[in-house]
Amino acid sequence: MLAHLLPALVLALAAGASSAQSVALSGVAGSKALVVIGAAAPKFLNPGQTHHGVKLLSVQGETAVVDVSGQRQTLRVGDAPVSVGKRASDAGAQRIVLTADSQGHFMPPGQINGRAVQFMVDTGATLVVLSEADAKRIHLPFEQGQKVRVSTANGGAVGHQVRLDSVKVGDAQVFGVPAIVLPQAMPYVLLGNSFLTRFQMQRSNDQLTLERRY
């Protein structure tokens, strides 16, 4: 199954400090923190160091405190990425409520760059992931993206990293979403953390509520 790509795809998408970006703590080594910012490769930081606009303030046990443009966030090893910074251009609904299908999956219809796609919510996917077939159908020029090697449950593959102009689910629209296009056939587009971390997620029984972060 393609749902679980390597947690740290070696991508090189710079994340500006003035826009929203996801930050996760992958590990701790002494006073150093292994931080993953957006779709960039993991990087060890010492307290006081800044990388892609994220400043490491302190490390204690399995937690780290970071600062982004005056916003402080406490990260914990193994927790889902948090979204920091503001992206004023994100628009539409502030709250999305999804209902699981009979197999427990959340399968909302949506749009990429204004064209219809079928999503499946996947918190195990670092990025939004779509097949070359879907990319061609929605006229996404993925061949212009940087080639990256990734690992899936079906083995290694070479994909293309891209940045989607917009991703829309319901009435909520997010702009500038990192994604990867894979050559394998896929029955749906994986709605990964590069979209999901713009929202606070809460599940109750068969419903998943996404509240936009600020």
Side-chain angles (χ1 to χ4, degrees):
M1 185 175 179
L2 292 171
H4 299 288
L5 300 174
L6 274 181
L9 297 173
V10 182
L11 306 181
L13 294 173
S18 61
S19 63
Q21 57 187 324
S22 64
V23 182
L25 182 63
S26 289
V28 172
S31 63
K32 295 183 178 181
L34 183 60
V35 179
V36 182
I37 302 170
K43 182 177 178 63
F44 272 111
L45 297 179
N46 288 306
Q49 281 189 306
T50 300
H51 182 57
H52 286 331
V54 176
K55 183 178 182 179
L56 178 65
L57 299 179
S58 63
V59 176
Q60 184 174 3
E62 293 190 337
T63 64
V65 179
V66 297
D67 179 279
V68 183
S69 301
Q71 287 185 268
R72 291 196 176 196
Q73 292 281 356
T74 300
L75 311 176
R76 182 178 296 276
V77 175
D79 282 0
V82 299
S83 184
V84 293
K86 293 184 178 179
R87 182 177 292 274
S89 57
D90 288 352
Q94 307 306 304
R95 186 170 183 263
I96 311 169
V97 179
L98 307 177
T99 301
D101 63 14
S102 59
Q103 295 183 319
H105 299 305
F106 296 95
M107 307 284 294
Q111 296 179 6
I112 291 178
N113 297 354
R115 296 182 179 272
V117 297
Q118 177 62 58
F119 287 117
M120 185 186 83
V121 173
D122 184 8
T123 58
T126 306
L127 307 179
V128 172
V129 184
L130 62 160
S131 67
E132 288 186 1
D134 270 329
K136 291 176 181 178
R137 182 179 59 80
I138 65 174
H139 304 296
L140 180 68
F142 66 91
E143 298 94 341
Q144 299 176 13
Q146 180 180 342
K147 288 186 177 181
V148 291
R149 182 169 293 279
V150 299
S151 293
T152 72
N154 297 326
V158 176
H160 290 81
Q161 72 173 50
V162 296
R163 187 173 289 272
L164 306 175
D165 292 337
S166 66
V167 174
K168 187 174 183 180
V169 177
D171 292 326
Q173 187 166 216
V174 173
F175 298 95
V177 179
I180 191 163
V181 178
L182 295 179
Q184 290 94 331
M186 297 170 58
Y188 35 67
V189 177
L190 300 182
L191 193 63
N193 285 321
S194 56
F195 176 89
L196 296 174
T197 53
R198 306 285 180 87
F199 300 85
Q200 178 70 45
M201 294 183 288
Q202 183 174 354
R203 180 168 182 172
S204 177
N205 298 321
D206 65 343
Q207 287 196 327
L208 179 66
T209 301
L210 305 180
E211 295 272 1
R212 195 182 292 275
R213 294 181 185 268
Y214 287 100

